[in-house]
Short mmCIF file of all heavy atoms in Angstrom, two decimals:
data_model
loop_
_atom_site.label_atom_id
_atom_site.label_comp_id
_atom_site.label_asym_id
_atom_site.label_seq_id
_atom_site.Cartn_x
_atom_site.Cartn_y
_atom_site.Cartn_z
N ALA A 43 -2.62 -19.89 35.85
CA ALA A 43 -3.58 -20.11 34.76
C ALA A 43 -4.07 -18.82 34.15
O ALA A 43 -4.35 -18.76 32.95
CB ALA A 43 -4.76 -20.93 35.28
N ASP A 44 -4.15 -17.74 34.93
CA ASP A 44 -4.67 -16.49 34.39
C ASP A 44 -3.58 -15.57 33.87
O ASP A 44 -3.84 -14.45 33.44
CB ASP A 44 -5.52 -15.76 35.45
CG ASP A 44 -4.71 -15.39 36.68
OD1 ASP A 44 -3.61 -15.95 36.87
OD2 ASP A 44 -5.19 -14.53 37.45
N ALA A 45 -2.32 -16.00 33.88
CA ALA A 45 -1.22 -15.17 33.40
C ALA A 45 -1.15 -15.23 31.88
O ALA A 45 -1.45 -16.24 31.25
CB ALA A 45 0.11 -15.66 33.99
N ALA A 46 -0.75 -14.12 31.29
CA ALA A 46 -0.63 -14.06 29.84
C ALA A 46 0.57 -14.90 29.39
O ALA A 46 1.59 -14.95 30.08
CB ALA A 46 -0.44 -12.62 29.39
N PRO A 47 0.45 -15.58 28.25
CA PRO A 47 1.60 -16.33 27.72
C PRO A 47 2.78 -15.40 27.46
O PRO A 47 2.59 -14.20 27.29
CB PRO A 47 1.07 -16.92 26.41
CG PRO A 47 -0.42 -16.89 26.53
CD PRO A 47 -0.73 -15.71 27.42
N PRO A 48 4.01 -15.94 27.42
CA PRO A 48 5.19 -15.09 27.26
C PRO A 48 5.13 -14.17 26.04
O PRO A 48 5.51 -13.02 26.11
CB PRO A 48 6.35 -16.09 27.13
CG PRO A 48 5.84 -17.35 27.72
CD PRO A 48 4.36 -17.35 27.54
N HIS A 49 4.62 -14.67 24.90
CA HIS A 49 4.60 -13.83 23.70
C HIS A 49 3.67 -12.64 23.89
O HIS A 49 3.93 -11.56 23.40
CB HIS A 49 4.21 -14.64 22.46
CG HIS A 49 2.96 -15.44 22.63
ND1 HIS A 49 2.96 -16.70 23.17
CD2 HIS A 49 1.66 -15.15 22.35
CE1 HIS A 49 1.72 -17.16 23.23
NE2 HIS A 49 0.92 -16.25 22.74
N ARG A 50 2.57 -12.82 24.62
CA ARG A 50 1.66 -11.71 24.89
C ARG A 50 2.29 -10.73 25.87
O ARG A 50 2.14 -9.52 25.72
CB ARG A 50 0.33 -12.22 25.42
CG ARG A 50 -0.48 -12.90 24.35
CD ARG A 50 -1.85 -13.30 24.86
NE ARG A 50 -2.56 -14.01 23.81
CZ ARG A 50 -3.60 -14.77 24.03
NH1 ARG A 50 -4.08 -14.92 25.25
NH2 ARG A 50 -4.19 -15.39 23.03
N ARG A 51 2.98 -11.25 26.86
CA ARG A 51 3.65 -10.35 27.83
C ARG A 51 4.69 -9.50 27.11
O ARG A 51 4.80 -8.30 27.37
CB ARG A 51 4.29 -11.16 28.96
CG ARG A 51 3.29 -11.70 29.96
CD ARG A 51 3.97 -12.17 31.23
NE ARG A 51 5.08 -13.08 31.02
CZ ARG A 51 4.97 -14.40 31.00
NH1 ARG A 51 3.80 -14.98 31.16
NH2 ARG A 51 6.03 -15.15 30.83
N ARG A 52 5.47 -10.11 26.21
CA ARG A 52 6.48 -9.35 25.48
C ARG A 52 5.84 -8.28 24.61
O ARG A 52 6.31 -7.15 24.55
CB ARG A 52 7.35 -10.29 24.63
CG ARG A 52 8.33 -11.09 25.45
CD ARG A 52 9.35 -11.79 24.56
NE ARG A 52 8.76 -12.67 23.58
CZ ARG A 52 8.51 -13.96 23.75
NH1 ARG A 52 8.80 -14.54 24.89
NH2 ARG A 52 7.99 -14.69 22.79
N THR A 53 4.75 -8.64 23.92
CA THR A 53 4.06 -7.68 23.06
C THR A 53 3.50 -6.53 23.89
O THR A 53 3.66 -5.36 23.53
CB THR A 53 2.91 -8.38 22.30
OG1 THR A 53 3.48 -9.38 21.47
CG2 THR A 53 2.15 -7.40 21.43
N ARG A 54 2.88 -6.87 25.01
CA ARG A 54 2.33 -5.80 25.87
C ARG A 54 3.43 -4.92 26.43
O ARG A 54 3.28 -3.70 26.53
CB ARG A 54 1.51 -6.41 27.00
CG ARG A 54 0.20 -6.98 26.53
CD ARG A 54 -0.54 -7.61 27.67
NE ARG A 54 -1.71 -8.33 27.19
CZ ARG A 54 -2.41 -9.16 27.94
NH1 ARG A 54 -2.07 -9.37 29.19
NH2 ARG A 54 -3.45 -9.78 27.43
N ALA A 55 4.55 -5.52 26.83
CA ALA A 55 5.67 -4.73 27.36
C ALA A 55 6.19 -3.77 26.29
O ALA A 55 6.48 -2.60 26.57
CB ALA A 55 6.78 -5.64 27.86
N PHE A 56 6.32 -4.26 25.06
CA PHE A 56 6.76 -3.40 23.97
C PHE A 56 5.76 -2.27 23.73
O PHE A 56 6.15 -1.10 23.60
CB PHE A 56 6.95 -4.19 22.67
CG PHE A 56 7.20 -3.31 21.49
CD1 PHE A 56 8.43 -2.70 21.31
CD2 PHE A 56 6.19 -3.05 20.57
CE1 PHE A 56 8.66 -1.85 20.24
CE2 PHE A 56 6.42 -2.21 19.50
CZ PHE A 56 7.66 -1.61 19.33
N LEU A 57 4.47 -2.59 23.69
CA LEU A 57 3.46 -1.55 23.46
C LEU A 57 3.44 -0.54 24.60
O LEU A 57 3.28 0.66 24.36
CB LEU A 57 2.08 -2.18 23.28
CG LEU A 57 1.88 -2.95 21.99
CD1 LEU A 57 0.51 -3.63 21.98
CD2 LEU A 57 2.03 -2.06 20.78
N ASP A 58 3.61 -1.00 25.83
CA ASP A 58 3.67 -0.06 26.96
C ASP A 58 4.86 0.88 26.81
O ASP A 58 4.75 2.07 27.08
CB ASP A 58 3.77 -0.81 28.29
CG ASP A 58 2.45 -1.41 28.74
OD1 ASP A 58 1.39 -0.99 28.20
OD2 ASP A 58 2.46 -2.28 29.62
N TRP A 59 6.01 0.34 26.37
CA TRP A 59 7.18 1.18 26.16
C TRP A 59 6.92 2.16 25.02
O TRP A 59 7.14 3.36 25.16
CB TRP A 59 8.40 0.31 25.82
CG TRP A 59 9.56 1.12 25.33
CD1 TRP A 59 10.45 1.83 26.09
CD2 TRP A 59 9.93 1.35 23.97
NE1 TRP A 59 11.35 2.48 25.28
CE2 TRP A 59 11.06 2.20 23.97
CE3 TRP A 59 9.43 0.92 22.74
CZ2 TRP A 59 11.68 2.61 22.80
CZ3 TRP A 59 10.05 1.34 21.58
CH2 TRP A 59 11.17 2.18 21.61
N GLU A 60 6.45 1.66 23.89
CA GLU A 60 6.30 2.49 22.70
C GLU A 60 5.24 3.56 22.89
O GLU A 60 5.38 4.67 22.41
CB GLU A 60 5.96 1.62 21.49
CG GLU A 60 6.27 2.25 20.16
CD GLU A 60 5.28 3.31 19.74
OE1 GLU A 60 4.08 3.15 20.01
OE2 GLU A 60 5.70 4.32 19.16
N THR A 61 4.16 3.24 23.57
CA THR A 61 3.06 4.20 23.73
C THR A 61 3.20 5.03 25.00
O THR A 61 2.34 5.85 25.30
CB THR A 61 1.70 3.49 23.77
OG1 THR A 61 1.66 2.64 24.91
CG2 THR A 61 1.44 2.69 22.50
N GLU A 62 4.28 4.79 25.75
CA GLU A 62 4.50 5.47 27.02
C GLU A 62 3.30 5.28 27.94
O GLU A 62 2.86 6.19 28.63
CB GLU A 62 4.82 6.95 26.79
CG GLU A 62 6.11 7.13 26.02
CD GLU A 62 6.41 8.58 25.67
OE1 GLU A 62 5.51 9.43 25.73
OE2 GLU A 62 7.57 8.84 25.35
N GLY A 63 2.73 4.07 27.91
CA GLY A 63 1.62 3.73 28.78
C GLY A 63 0.27 4.29 28.38
O GLY A 63 -0.67 4.23 29.15
N ALA A 64 0.15 4.81 27.16
CA ALA A 64 -1.14 5.37 26.71
C ALA A 64 -2.19 4.28 26.68
O ALA A 64 -1.90 3.11 26.40
CB ALA A 64 -0.99 5.98 25.31
N ALA A 65 -3.41 4.67 26.96
CA ALA A 65 -4.52 3.72 26.90
C ALA A 65 -4.74 3.31 25.44
O ALA A 65 -4.74 4.16 24.55
CB ALA A 65 -5.79 4.35 27.47
N LEU A 66 -4.91 2.03 25.21
CA LEU A 66 -5.16 1.52 23.87
C LEU A 66 -6.61 1.09 23.76
O LEU A 66 -7.23 0.70 24.74
CB LEU A 66 -4.24 0.33 23.57
CG LEU A 66 -2.75 0.62 23.63
CD1 LEU A 66 -1.97 -0.69 23.45
CD2 LEU A 66 -2.35 1.62 22.57
N ASP A 67 -7.13 1.13 22.56
CA ASP A 67 -8.47 0.64 22.31
C ASP A 67 -8.52 -0.82 22.76
O ASP A 67 -7.72 -1.65 22.29
CB ASP A 67 -8.76 0.76 20.81
CG ASP A 67 -10.12 0.25 20.41
OD1 ASP A 67 -10.64 -0.68 21.05
OD2 ASP A 67 -10.67 0.78 19.43
N PRO A 68 -9.41 -1.17 23.68
CA PRO A 68 -9.44 -2.55 24.19
C PRO A 68 -9.64 -3.61 23.11
O PRO A 68 -9.04 -4.67 23.17
CB PRO A 68 -10.62 -2.55 25.17
CG PRO A 68 -10.83 -1.11 25.53
CD PRO A 68 -10.40 -0.31 24.33
N ALA A 69 -10.46 -3.32 22.10
CA ALA A 69 -10.68 -4.30 21.03
C ALA A 69 -9.39 -4.49 20.23
O ALA A 69 -9.03 -5.61 19.86
CB ALA A 69 -11.81 -3.85 20.12
N TRP A 70 -8.66 -3.39 19.96
CA TRP A 70 -7.41 -3.49 19.22
C TRP A 70 -6.37 -4.25 20.04
O TRP A 70 -5.66 -5.11 19.52
CB TRP A 70 -6.88 -2.10 18.85
CG TRP A 70 -5.63 -2.17 18.05
CD1 TRP A 70 -5.53 -2.25 16.69
CD2 TRP A 70 -4.28 -2.18 18.55
NE1 TRP A 70 -4.20 -2.32 16.32
CE2 TRP A 70 -3.42 -2.28 17.45
CE3 TRP A 70 -3.73 -2.12 19.81
CZ2 TRP A 70 -2.04 -2.31 17.56
CZ3 TRP A 70 -2.34 -2.16 19.94
CH2 TRP A 70 -1.52 -2.26 18.82
N ALA A 71 -6.30 -3.96 21.33
CA ALA A 71 -5.33 -4.64 22.20
C ALA A 71 -5.62 -6.14 22.26
O ALA A 71 -4.70 -6.95 22.22
CB ALA A 71 -5.37 -4.03 23.60
N ARG A 72 -6.90 -6.50 22.32
CA ARG A 72 -7.28 -7.93 22.34
C ARG A 72 -6.88 -8.59 21.01
O ARG A 72 -6.34 -9.70 21.00
CB ARG A 72 -8.78 -8.05 22.59
CG ARG A 72 -9.21 -9.39 23.08
CD ARG A 72 -10.65 -9.43 23.60
NE ARG A 72 -11.62 -8.77 22.73
CZ ARG A 72 -12.20 -7.59 22.97
NH1 ARG A 72 -11.90 -6.89 24.05
NH2 ARG A 72 -13.07 -7.08 22.12
N LEU A 73 -7.12 -7.90 19.90
CA LEU A 73 -6.73 -8.43 18.59
C LEU A 73 -5.21 -8.59 18.51
O LEU A 73 -4.71 -9.61 18.02
CB LEU A 73 -7.22 -7.50 17.47
CG LEU A 73 -6.80 -7.86 16.05
CD1 LEU A 73 -7.41 -9.20 15.65
CD2 LEU A 73 -7.22 -6.77 15.08
N ARG A 74 -4.47 -7.63 19.03
CA ARG A 74 -3.01 -7.70 19.02
C ARG A 74 -2.54 -8.88 19.87
O ARG A 74 -1.61 -9.59 19.50
CB ARG A 74 -2.42 -6.38 19.54
CG ARG A 74 -0.93 -6.31 19.51
CD ARG A 74 -0.42 -6.37 18.07
NE ARG A 74 0.99 -6.66 18.08
CZ ARG A 74 1.52 -7.81 17.67
NH1 ARG A 74 0.78 -8.76 17.19
NH2 ARG A 74 2.81 -8.00 17.71
N ASP A 75 -3.18 -9.10 21.02
CA ASP A 75 -2.83 -10.25 21.85
C ASP A 75 -3.03 -11.56 21.09
O ASP A 75 -2.19 -12.46 21.14
CB ASP A 75 -3.68 -10.29 23.12
CG ASP A 75 -3.22 -9.30 24.18
OD1 ASP A 75 -2.12 -8.73 24.03
OD2 ASP A 75 -3.97 -9.13 25.16
#
């Protein structure tokens, strides 16, 4: 129940790759999700 839906997991995985794991603004990350 607490796992992110597949589309959010894919988006986060892409952002982790693209940003090389850089910390993102939490509000922006929530909006992106």
Side-chain angles (χ1 to χ4, degrees):
D44 61 344
H49 52 274
R50 288 185 183 162
R51 285 195 308 269
R52 286 192 302 269
T53 298
R54 288 178 188 168
F56 171 75
L57 290 175
D58 284 344
W59 169 81
E60 202 284 323
T61 63
E62 297 175 343
L66 300 175
D67 178 329
W70 182 89
R72 199 168 47 254
L73 176 64
R74 183 64 195 111
D75 282 349

